[in-house]
Structure formats: C-alpha cells, structure tokens
Amino acid sequence: MSSLRGDKLNSFFYIDNVLCPICNAHPENSLHLLFFCDLSRRIWLASHLNLRSERIACQTLVEGLWFMWNVEDSDNLFANHELGNRNIVLFASVLFDLLWKYKNSITHGVALSTPSSILHSILKSYSSLVESLSRLSAEVTPSWAPPPTDWIKINCDASLNAFGTSIACVARNDKADIIRWEARRIGPCSPLVAEALAVEMAIKMAVQASWRYILLVSDSKSVIKVLQNRNTDPPWSISSILDNCMLNICNFSAYSFVYILRAANLIAHNIAKWCLHSNSSSQVLLALPPFVCHDIEE
C-alpha cells in the first residue's frame, strides 16, 4: 500500500492529509514528486541537467515519461542544451527512487536526511551508474565514447623509454570537443608511478578549470581499482600520489573513475609518446599536435 499515492488512496477511503509530506503544499502523487515538488524542482535545477521543471506542461506521469524520452527543448526548459534523452531518464530514475524513499521516511517519522544530503546522494548514485555504464561500454566497444551531458571526460596515460617518462591527459566534453590537454616529461619512474602521476595531473587540471562533473578514465587497472575502492590498500610506490588525488576530488560535485582498454585511450597515449620525444618539458595548450589529431576516435 505504501507505493500508492496519497490522492489516489483518498479516493478509496478518507485520509486526513493528502498533501506531499516533503513540501506540505500540494497533493501527493508521482508526477508532483518527480517534477513539481519544491525539493525536486531545486534538485533538477541544481543538477548538471539544469532543468526548469516548473515549465513542463504535463498532467499525468505518463505524459512526464513521454516528455523525458522525446524532449526537444523547444520551450527552453534547459539552461544546458542538446541533452541526451538517456541522461535525462537515468537521472530522473535516480531522483525518483531516492525522493520516494525520502518521502516515505518522513511519512513514517524516521527521516534522517536533509535536502542537501538528498542532492548529494542523488549525484553520487548517478555517478555510480555512469561509471558502471561507461565500464560496460568500454568492455563491449573498445573505442572512445562521450560522457553524459555537461560532464567532462579526461583520458590519462603515460609513455616510457630508456631515457625518460612522460604523462598526458586529454579532456573532452559530451560533444567530443577537445577542450584542454596537458603533457609533460617527468623523471625516470616505474610504469605504475607514471600512470598514477598522469591521473593526478588530470585531476589538478580539472580543479584549475573549475569543472564540476568529471569522468576520469585510464588503461591502468591497478590505479583505477584503488581510486574506485578507497578500502583497497594501494602499492606503497603510489600511495602518496593517490592520497593527493583523493584530497582534490572534493572540489567536484560528482566524479567517476573508469578503467578502459588501450584502444579507447589512444589520444592520451600518443600525446604522451609525442611529449616524450619533443624538445619541450611541458605542454599546456588548447590545440593538439596536428599529427595526433587523426587518432581521435569517432
């Protein structure tokens, strides 16, 4: 019975209060909870989707679901344009699930969460799903795939030879535009340390650029495994590097770390190789070297 909405239950038998227990201002139903409750409106607007849900013209939940699958944004509902319907539906699913649980906790007098913690939980759950889907995509199709809308995907890699080491990272948005890259030569070190330093450089680059939503990918399974699971003890040689990484990720609203195959990481890999053989010890530019541009995966 708890899955039935308040206004529907009231059509069967008398209920003292059919108002939404979260906002206590409008009748409780699924459509209100998903789009029009004060809390859900704030969450939609504060999210990377920037949805102005009060402008949605739908009267039933079915119409709301149809909107999410078929939105064309002709009414300027989003501050962030050209959104993928998959991203909207995925975020809506997480939002609805957690808000429904929050609503029930208030109804039963056991609410322990706050609106700000609800937003954090939604972003964290959404990030976890993005990470899982990205990992699955990398395993099935070993090529570069775009991040969710308004996220930045950063590929990291390192290159080594008998004379030195170089690290590189390349940031691209959901439209596959390369928006920033960095590469530099470092002192001799092990491949594992080099991969960890590449990740650290990528995180620092993201912090400096004030990006909020980060999907960081690397073909170093050892480094990504530690970043995904904080309870995993890292190898001593990269312990301090990864500690610095974890200290810096608090600057992001949401983030994910994903292991990918080398075939999906060619841009970062080839830039690292180019830097290793170049005359410059550091590069922080907006334009890629022309001879590596053809390696951009379609």
Side-chain angles (χ1 to χ4, degrees), residues 114-231:
T114 63
S116 60
S117 66
I118 290 294
L119 174 58
H120 176 76
S121 297
I122 290 173
L123 290 174
K124 184 177 180 180
S125 297
Y126 179 76
S127 298
S128 178
L129 286 173
V130 167
E131 180 178 305
S132 298
L133 291 173
S134 298
R135 188 184 305 117
L136 178 61
S137 175
E139 293 172 354
V140 174
T141 307
S143 60
W144 191 89
T149 302
D150 211 38
W151 283 55
I152 304 298
K153 184 174 185 177
I154 310 177
N155 289 68
C156 311
D157 208 355
S159 182
L160 300 85
N161 62 19
F163 304 101
T165 306
S166 66
I167 56 177
C169 57
V170 184
R172 301 168 77 174
N173 60 21
D174 56 285
K175 303 175 186 63
D177 299 325
I178 296 175
I179 55 178
R180 188 180 175 92
W181 66 276
E182 294 190 16
R184 59 175 53 97
R185 287 205 303 266
I186 57 178
C189 62
S190 69
L192 181 61
V193 170
E195 296 283 3
L197 288 172
V199 169
E200 182 185 36
M201 181 174 69
I203 292 176
K204 289 181 177 179
M205 180 180 73
V207 171
Q208 291 170 359
S210 300
W211 295 327
R212 296 177 59 196
Y213 306 100
I214 301 301
L215 176 59
L216 192 147
V217 299
S218 168
D219 54 31
S220 174
K221 185 176 292 186
S222 299
V223 172
I224 293 299
K225 181 180 178 180
V226 175
L227 291 172
Q228 289 175 340
N229 185 1
R230 300 187 188 185
N231 295 322

Side-chain angles (χ1 to χ4, degrees), residues 43-298:
I43 291 174
W44 276 113
L45 192 59
S47 75
H48 64 290
L49 298 174
N50 297 130
L51 172 65
R52 301 181 180 93
S53 61
E54 70 276 6
R55 299 185 183 180
I56 296 176
C58 57
Q59 302 299 319
T60 66
L61 182 60
V62 172
E63 291 179 0
L65 295 175
W66 184 94
F67 159 79
M68 287 186 290
W69 277 114
N70 299 277
V71 61
E72 296 181 353
D73 201 26
S74 58
D75 297 323
N76 194 31
L77 297 172
F78 295 93
N80 185 13
H81 296 285
E82 301 182 22
L83 299 172
N85 300 92
R86 184 184 69 173
N87 297 329
I88 299 172
V89 172
L90 182 61
F91 186 83
S93 300
V94 174
L95 182 148
F96 187 73
D97 177 60
L98 293 182
L99 278 189
W100 190 271
K101 293 175 181 177
Y102 179 53
K103 173 193 74 71
N104 284 342
S105 70
I106 295 176
T107 300
H108 298 294
V110 293
L112 300 177
S113 302
T114 63
S116 60
S117 66
I118 290 294
L119 174 58
H120 176 76
S121 297
I122 290 173
L123 290 174
K124 184 177 180 180
S125 297
Y126 179 76
S127 298
S128 178
L129 286 173
V130 167
E131 180 178 305
S132 298
L133 291 173
S134 298
R135 188 184 305 117
L136 178 61
S137 175
E139 293 172 354
V140 174
T141 307
S143 60
W144 191 89
T149 302
D150 211 38
W151 283 55
I152 304 298
K153 184 174 185 177
I154 310 177
N155 289 68
C156 311
D157 208 355
S159 182
L160 300 85
N161 62 19
F163 304 101
T165 306
S166 66
I167 56 177
C169 57
V170 184
R172 301 168 77 174
N173 60 21
D174 56 285
K175 303 175 186 63
D177 299 325
I178 296 175
I179 55 178
R180 188 180 175 92
W181 66 276
E182 294 190 16
R184 59 175 53 97
R185 287 205 303 266
I186 57 178
C189 62
S190 69
L192 181 61
V193 170
E195 296 283 3
L197 288 172
V199 169
E200 182 185 36
M201 181 174 69
I203 292 176
K204 289 181 177 179
M205 180 180 73
V207 171
Q208 291 170 359
S210 300
W211 295 327
R212 296 177 59 196
Y213 306 100
I214 301 301
L215 176 59
L216 192 147
V217 299
S218 168
D219 54 31
S220 174
K221 185 176 292 186
S222 299
V223 172
I224 293 299
K225 181 180 178 180
V226 175
L227 291 172
Q228 289 175 340
N229 185 1
R230 300 187 188 185
N231 295 322
T232 301
D233 292 328
W236 68 267
S237 60
I238 62 172
S239 178
S240 61
I241 300 172
L242 298 188
D243 284 345
N244 289 335
C245 291
M246 301 310 294
L247 287 174
N248 277 302
I249 62 175
C250 63
N251 292 281
F252 309 131
S253 298
Y255 58 88
S256 290
F257 301 109
V258 177
Y259 165 73
I260 58 174
L261 301 177
R262 171 61 60 81
N265 207 29
L266 288 179
I267 282 291
H269 176 71
N270 287 339
I271 291 179
K273 288 176 60 178
W274 165 79
C275 182
L276 188 61
H277 295 91
S278 70
N279 293 323
S280 175
S281 62
S282 179
Q283 295 288 334
V284 184
L285 303 173
L286 298 179
L288 283 171
F291 70 91
V292 300
C293 290
H294 70 276
D295 290 322
I296 298 177
E297 298 85 356
E298 298 296 334

